[in-house]
Structures are given as C-alpha cells and as structure tokens.
Amino acid sequence: MIKLNSLVLYKGQPALVLELIGEKYTIEFCSTTSAKNKKISFDTQRVREKDFTLLLDSETVSKGQLSEMATLNLEPTQGDDIVHPLYELLIEAGLLDPMDFNELMDFKGIEGAIDCWRFYKALEISSYFFRVPGESLKFQPYSVEKLEELRQKNEAKLKEQENRQGFILRLKQKKLSLPEDLQQMQDVEALALGKSDKSKTMKECGFSESPEKAHKLLLDTGVWSICRNPHPSRFDLSIHSSTERLASPPQEERVKLNHVAYAIDNAWSTDPDDAIAFDGEWVWIHVADPASSVLPDSLIDISARNRGATLYLPEDTVRMLAEDSLEDYALGLTKESRALSFKIKLDQDGSILETYVLKTLVNVQRLTYEEADEKKDSEELAPMFQIARRNEERRKKAGAVFINLPEVNISVNNEIVTIQNVTHLESSAVVREFMLLAGEAAAKFAFKNAIPFPFVGQESLAIPKEIPEGLAGQYRLRRCMRSRSVGITPMQHAGLGLGMYSQVTSPLRRYGDLVAHQQLRAFINKSPLLNKDQMLERVAAGDAAAVAATRAERQSRLHWTLVYLLQNKDWQGEAVVLEEKGKQAVCLIPSLGLETILIPSNSFKINDKIIVKSGNINIPALTVNFIPVE
C-alpha cells in the first residue's frame, strides 16, 4: 500500500496521494497555473494504482511542495549540470546498464520531494541519459562515444537553427545571400508555381501566403527575374513538350491523289497540319494523320488527353505530341504526306451536299499567308478564294458573327520581348473558311453514320439591333458571344452560323481533333468505335485540359506584355474608347492587344483615341495602370 502524501508521477506531472478508497487512490495535482498572478489551482482524481508511478514513498510531502514542483521549469543546461556528476561517476564505474530512478537517486544521494522532482526532470531533459523505451522510471546513461555523436548532432542542429534565423532575418530585409540562400527558398517557389498552397518560410517571416505574394517576394529578393513565367505551372501544365515519340506511320492502303494541296500558314509555323485544294469538282481538306499510330488509351493518347492541346507561349511552344514526330506526320515536310482527307461537294450556295473521308497520300506545297495573297488570282488558288468568299456569305446569312479586333503576336528571344500587330490577309480567311467546311462536313458525316463524336456548339446570341461603328462596335459584339460547349450530341454553333460543327483540322495540337480522327479512322477501317460513354469521358477530360491551356496562354501573354512595358519604360501608345462607364472609359490599346480602364481628364465618347503611357506595373498581380498623356 502506498503511503498517503507520497509523491507520484501522473501523466508526466507531480501529484500527491491523498487517500485510498476501495481499489482506487485519490490523488491531487496541478490543473492550471497563472504566471501573471503567480497563482496555481489544483484538482483531484480517483485512479487505480496502475495509472500512476511512485516517485517518493513518503508521508512528508506537502501541498506547498507540490505547488513548488508544479511550477519548476528547468532548462536543458540546468538539467545537465544536475546529472553530470552522476554521469561521470557511472561512466568511471563502467555502469552503462538501465537503472531504476530510485537506484539513480541512491547514487546521487537525493532526499526530499523537491530534490527528487528536480532530479527526475533533470534526467528527463538531460543530454547524458535517455529513458528506456516503455519504462517511465528507468534511465540509461549514453556511452561516451554516443554522447560525442549526439553532441556533434546537437551542434549541427544549433548551427542550422542559427543559419535559419540569419536567413529569415535577411529575407525579412529582402537582402538574401545568393546563391547560398536559394535552397531555403524552395517552398516559396513551390507556392509561387502553384505546387503548394503553403510556405513555411513565408509564415516564419510573417508574410501572407499566396502565389502572388510569393512571386513578389521572389522578385524582391532577386531569386527570380521579371522574365520568370509561373502561370503554366499554376494550371498544372507541363512546360516541356511530350517526349513520347510516335511510331512511324503504319503501312496501309491509301488513296494516292494527283492534285497539289496548299498548306497556308504563318511564316514561323513549324507544325503544318492542314492543306487545302480544289480539283474543279470537289473541295479537299487534307489533315495530318497522327491517329494512324496513336491508338485510344495508349500511353501517347493518355498523355495528349492530359495536356489537352499544344501550349503556345510567347517564350516557347510546348507540344501535345513529340516534336520528333512532326516530320512523319506534319504536312508538306516530305515529298508525299499521309493525310486524313475530307472530300466535299458543295451546292451552288456553298452548302455541303456530299462528304467522304479518306486515307490519302497527297503532294503538299507550303505557302505563307503573304505568298498565298500574292497568288490569289492564279489558276491554282483563285477558285479557293472564291469558295471561301461564298462560304463566308452563306454563314453570314445564317447569323454568323464576324468580329475584327486588333491582335498582336508576342515573342520572346533571350528574354527580350517583341510585340507586333498581326495583319489579317485574305488568305487567312480562306484557310479559316476551309477549316470550318471540314468541321461542318465531319460533324454531318459522323451524325449520318451514327459515329459517337465530339461536337462543338454555341447557343443563340442576343445581338443588339444597333451596333456602333469602329472598334467599339466590335467590342460590343464580342461581349454578346457565349461560351462554346463540347459534347457528344450535335448542336448548333450560332456564332459560326452552322447547324452542327466539330473541330477536326488540328490533331497534332488539339486532343479533341485527335479523338475525332480516331473515330473516323475506326469507321473507315470497320473497326470497333468508342461508345458514347467512352467518348464523353475523353471529350470532357481533353476539353478541361485545353481550357486550362487557354487560360495559361492568356495569363502568360499578359505577363510578357507587362515585361515588355518594363523593358520599354518610355513606351506610349494609342488607346481607343470602347465603352463609357460614367467617368471611366473602357479602352483597347491596339498595339498591345490589351484592354484597360482609364479616367480621362477631358470629356470623351466611344471610338475616341487617347495617347497613354504605362504607370504602376505589378507583374505578380498581372496589373498595369495606364495614364493619359497630357
């Protein structure tokens, strides 16, 4: 039986035994303390003997002593001072085995409750002893060798803590020591890149944790330059092109065509994936045929699905399909090109009468838009310009909306940003109309043959009766546009003026087009088709990834526009008023392809032109203020 007023250990705290009732002891222990008022409160608990451990079997421990023990606070160095003489004695005697607390007290010659508790706490926090696992009152001294190892580790830890404190101080002052401090900024970079939603480093500094704040901190400390673009990463997009090289095109029966088709594109294009022709009777749209080797649910197919589309950034092009595959599959890079071709017969008004889908071999000649415009009256190209004009007119009659707002091309070379206005030549409209013909024809072909297919649509538009002239009118038209939708059910595309539509002309750079080709090839080959559920799954996944890519491209373009303004601090440009909002003017800066809000000092009306310069530029927040030049 344990004596009353004995000192025991209960849940790591000192306690007194008050009484025994049946099989349970009543013990008293500290429940709360108030350092400010130096007050201490006690509580009692009825527990079994197994719930506590006897420290000092005595009848002399008082409540006052318990109060003193409950408020005892030893530092590790104080604990070492208390137990070091005992440790030296045990080492000298060669006693390194585990020892009970009472044995150790006997060696130390400790008596009395206060000294007993102080000795227990010293053992607990000392660097000379360790508690035996599973034993609350059994301690063992470290060997000299182990103690030296622990000492070195502790010194290293203290040094690390000291270095960390120095780093945090430098970070608060925005005066890092580079490159030495880069390692400790990794969690800040992870937050800025969207790889994490927290940063221990920023929290330690008392900084708010957000990707924008992390980006600003990286700029302020010189870890990042203004040219670092974090936006693709924030959308969880790879910034490296696919490396899964497509197999060589399979040997299969193809229709060899005699006519020449023209791949018309920008001079800087490196992945031509469509070409057009007219043989006097049939319109031909030839499209690259990577689906001949990219099978559904293959590794390359899944990778393309996760990417959604080729990512076009001002600083780089991140391809959906491997760059090494272009020579085998892009059009016009070899003497003969393998294509999936849409053979279309048109009615007199330009509507589609018949469509065939064929696997072909075709001779493709590449032209830039400028070269095509120069040859638009030639025997080879003039008929296609006429077909395009007729198709555009047909779509206009069906309610198609044509919006012509200035566009710019942003490029980056050695971190120097260049922004150039895009000139829309008539040949670009020809290519557009032929691509729309292919999309319409493919949709009708799939619907007629009950092929599960990715259809693209847009709900009817509410166009105001009165549309202003100039850019203000084009802006108002654009605001009327509704988001497109992608699904497996045919639907009207009001903006294009088409009863049904699908995108099929860019399988090298859009996953939806690649899936459409897989279905068309399966139908031609009389192979099993993906069913509607499988198609819906692929369409949804691919479109979600493609939407993310579009958003990343948009934010990247804005990022590099702001970099351009920082690199050209004397820039001034023309802003055109698109809309009046009280004293504010919604404006477009054509030379930047950027919209902004101004507060002009003078009265203004829509389509007025105001010369502006850039003011406060905030790259992390993607904002810039433009100021009218007086």
Side-chain angles (χ1 to χ4, degrees):
M1 177 180 171
I2 296 177
K3 297 177 182 177
L4 302 184
N5 293 325
S6 289
L7 177 65
V8 298
L9 182 68
Y10 176 67
K11 294 185 177 179
Q13 297 296 323
L16 298 183
V17 176
L18 298 183
E19 61 181 346
L20 174 64
I21 301 176
E23 296 182 352
K24 289 188 176 182
Y25 287 90
T26 300
I27 62 172
E28 186 175 35
F29 54 91
C30 170
S31 59
T32 59
T33 58
S34 173
K36 183 177 180 180
N37 299 319
K38 296 184 179 180
K39 291 183 179 181
I40 188 166
S41 301
F42 290 91
D43 200 356
T44 59
Q45 184 74 33
R46 294 192 64 200
V47 295
R48 298 183 184 276
E49 188 172 343
K50 66 180 180 62
D51 296 328
F52 60 82
T53 305
L54 180 66
L55 286 178
L56 186 64
D57 191 9
S58 169
E59 297 179 349
T60 60
V61 181
S62 67
K63 190 171 182 178
Q65 290 174 316
L66 179 62
S67 174
E68 185 176 344
M69 286 184 278
T71 56
L72 178 66
N73 185 23
L74 288 180
E75 296 293 331
T77 54
Q78 293 175 301
D80 284 346
D81 290 342
I82 293 171
V83 303
H84 181 256
L86 173 61
Y87 176 79
E88 291 286 339
L89 179 64
L90 295 175
I91 290 296
E92 186 176 345
L95 299 174
L96 294 176
D97 293 331
M99 302 181 70
D100 288 333
F101 178 63
N102 288 327
E103 293 180 85
L104 293 171
M105 280 205 303
D106 288 342
F107 268 98
K108 184 70 174 172
I110 290 177
E111 295 180 357
I114 301 297
D115 288 342
C116 171
W117 179 251
R118 182 181 289 108
F119 181 60
Y120 171 78
K121 294 299 292 182
L123 284 172
E124 190 177 44
I125 63 176
S126 160
S127 59
Y128 293 101
F129 290 82
F130 65 94
R131 193 196 305 272
V132 177
E135 300 285 347
S136 59
L137 288 180
K138 188 169 285 189
F139 295 87
Q140 183 175 354
Y142 287 112
S143 67
V144 174
E145 295 76 15
K146 183 65 176 178
L147 192 63
E148 176 62 18
E149 179 187 336
L150 292 173
R151 185 191 66 77
Q152 292 179 4
K153 285 185 177 180
N154 188 53
E155 284 185 359
K157 184 177 180 180
L158 291 174
K159 182 67 174 176
E160 184 180 339
Q161 291 174 346
E162 181 182 333
N163 291 340
R164 180 70 175 178
Q165 291 171 355
F167 161 73
I168 293 297
L169 179 60
R170 292 193 296 276
L171 184 56
K172 287 181 177 180
Q173 296 172 344
K174 313 289 178 63
K175 296 179 180 179
L176 293 184
S177 177
L178 300 175
E180 293 83 0
D181 287 335
L182 285 179
Q183 183 71 22
Q184 301 200 68
M185 292 292 287
Q186 287 186 348
D187 64 318
V188 180
E189 288 191 282
L191 178 57
L193 292 170
K195 302 299 183 184
S196 171
D197 58 359
K198 295 180 180 179
S199 166
K200 178 184 176 183
T201 296
M202 295 186 71
K203 187 175 183 180
E204 284 184 54
C205 289
F207 300 150
S208 58
E209 300 166 77
S210 71
E212 294 76 20
K213 295 292 185 182
H215 189 175
K216 184 176 187 305
L217 184 59
L218 291 165
L219 292 178
D220 290 345
T221 54
V223 175
W224 281 8
S225 79
I226 58 173
C227 293
R228 183 66 182 270
N229 175 15
H231 300 289
S233 179
R234 289 183 189 175
F235 286 96
D236 200 25
L237 299 172
S238 174
I239 56 173
H240 303 290
S241 295
S242 174
T243 57
E244 291 285 343
R245 197 181 194 285
L246 278 65
S248 297
Q251 296 297 321
E252 58 183 340
E253 184 178 350
R254 289 180 178 270
V255 177
K256 187 169 182 177
L257 301 174
N258 296 322
H259 64 254
V260 175
Y262 297 92
I264 306 172
D265 211 333
N266 292 297
W268 44 261
S269 172
T270 58
D271 56 351
D273 53 4
D274 55 69
I276 61 177
F278 179 63
D279 65 6
E281 182 181 3
W282 298 89
V283 168
W284 291 87
I285 298 105
H286 306 288
V287 184
D289 193 15
S292 62
S293 64
V294 180
L295 302 180
D297 287 331
S298 63
L299 290 177
I300 295 177
D301 179 68
I302 293 171
S303 172
R305 189 185 313 162
N306 291 336
R307 290 173 180 268
T310 289
L311 184 62
Y312 290 99
L313 304 173
E315 70 270 34
D316 198 9
T317 298
V318 183
R319 299 195 182 280
M320 182 183 79
L321 298 177
E323 184 106 29
D324 291 347
S325 303
L326 288 180
E327 187 172 346
D328 284 337
Y329 292 94
L331 302 185
L333 302 187
T334 56
K335 185 176 181 180
E336 281 188 320
S337 298
R338 296 171 178 85
L340 190 70
S341 300
F342 298 88
K343 179 182 178 183
I344 305 169
K345 178 170 282 190
L346 301 178
D347 199 353
Q348 290 183 351
D349 66 352
S351 58
I352 296 172
L353 292 175
E354 295 180 62
T355 300
Y356 297 92
V357 183
L358 308 169
K359 295 181 291 183
T360 62
L361 283 174
V362 59
N363 180 8
V364 176
Q365 180 180 335
R366 297 186 67 188
L367 293 175
T368 65
Y369 288 127
E370 291 78 8
E371 291 170 337
D373 258 45
E374 290 175 2
K375 298 179 179 181
K376 67 180 181 180
D377 295 325
S378 67
E379 183 180 348
E380 296 82 11
L381 298 187
M384 289 189 282
F385 276 75
Q386 294 170 4
I387 290 168
R389 296 183 193 117
R390 187 172 59 184
N391 196 60
E392 182 176 311
E393 188 61 32
R394 175 177 71 96
R395 294 193 302 109
K396 281 182 180 178
K397 291 178 180 178
V401 178
F402 292 80
I403 299 173
N404 184 19
L405 286 170
E407 295 180 30
V408 297
N409 179 56
I410 305 173
S411 59
V412 181
N413 186 17
N414 293 326
E415 297 191 344
I416 301 300
V417 186
T418 302
I419 301 180
Q420 296 176 315
N421 284 94
V422 175
T423 301
H424 290 287
L425 301 175
E426 187 178 358
S427 56
S428 65
V430 171
V431 173
R432 179 195 68 210
E433 294 303 321
F434 271 68
M435 297 307 104
L436 293 176
L437 276 172
E440 182 185 9
K444 290 184 173 181
F445 182 86
F447 179 67
K448 177 182 177 181
N449 293 287
I451 303 172
F453 211 63
F455 295 96
V456 181
Q458 185 183 53
E459 293 181 9
S460 297
L461 310 176
I463 306 295
K465 291 183 179 180
E466 295 185 7
I467 297 294
E469 297 293 326
L471 293 181
Q474 297 299 300
Y475 172 74
R476 190 167 299 181
L477 276 177
R478 194 188 68 184
R479 292 193 61 186
C480 296
M481 302 302 288
R482 299 186 179 182
S483 299
R484 66 163 201 159
S485 58
V486 182
I488 59 173
T489 303
M491 61 194 93
Q492 178 192 25
H493 197 301
L496 295 178
L498 298 176
M500 65 176 68
Y501 175 65
S502 181
Q503 290 181 309
V504 293
T505 58
S506 297
L508 291 176
R509 54 190 179 91
R510 285 195 301 246
Y511 180 72
D513 299 43
L514 181 63
V515 173
H517 277 228
Q518 289 172 342
Q519 287 291 83
L520 292 172
R521 285 184 57 87
F523 179 81
I524 294 169
N525 295 336
K526 296 182 171 54
S527 301
L529 295 167
L530 296 171
N531 62 40
K532 288 187 177 181
D533 289 341
Q534 291 171 320
M535 278 299 299
L536 187 59
E537 177 186 355
R538 285 159 174 76
V539 167
D543 192 55
V547 168
T550 299
R551 291 175 178 171
E553 289 172 350
R554 187 180 299 124
Q555 293 193 7
S556 296
R557 287 172 59 84
L558 179 53
H559 167 87
W560 286 110
T561 301
L562 301 188
V563 174
Y564 171 83
L565 292 172
L566 286 174
Q567 292 177 344
N568 298 271
K569 296 184 183 297
D570 296 330
W571 175 91
Q572 291 187 6
E574 191 175 79
V576 180
V577 178
L578 303 176
E579 187 178 37
E580 301 175 57
K581 284 190 173 182
K583 294 182 179 180
Q584 294 182 331
V586 178
C587 296
L588 172 70
I589 303 174
S591 62
L592 299 177
L594 196 63
E595 291 178 22
T596 189
I597 293 179
L598 298 177
I599 303 179
S601 54
N602 301 318
S603 60
F604 62 91
K605 58 183 182 296
I606 60 172
N607 288 319
D608 278 356
K609 297 176 181 178
I610 304 169
I611 303 300
V612 296
K613 62 182 179 180
S614 60
N616 182 43
I617 298 171
N618 188 330
I619 284 185
L622 290 180
T623 58
V624 54
N625 294 326
F626 288 97
I627 305 165
V629 177
E630 299 295 339

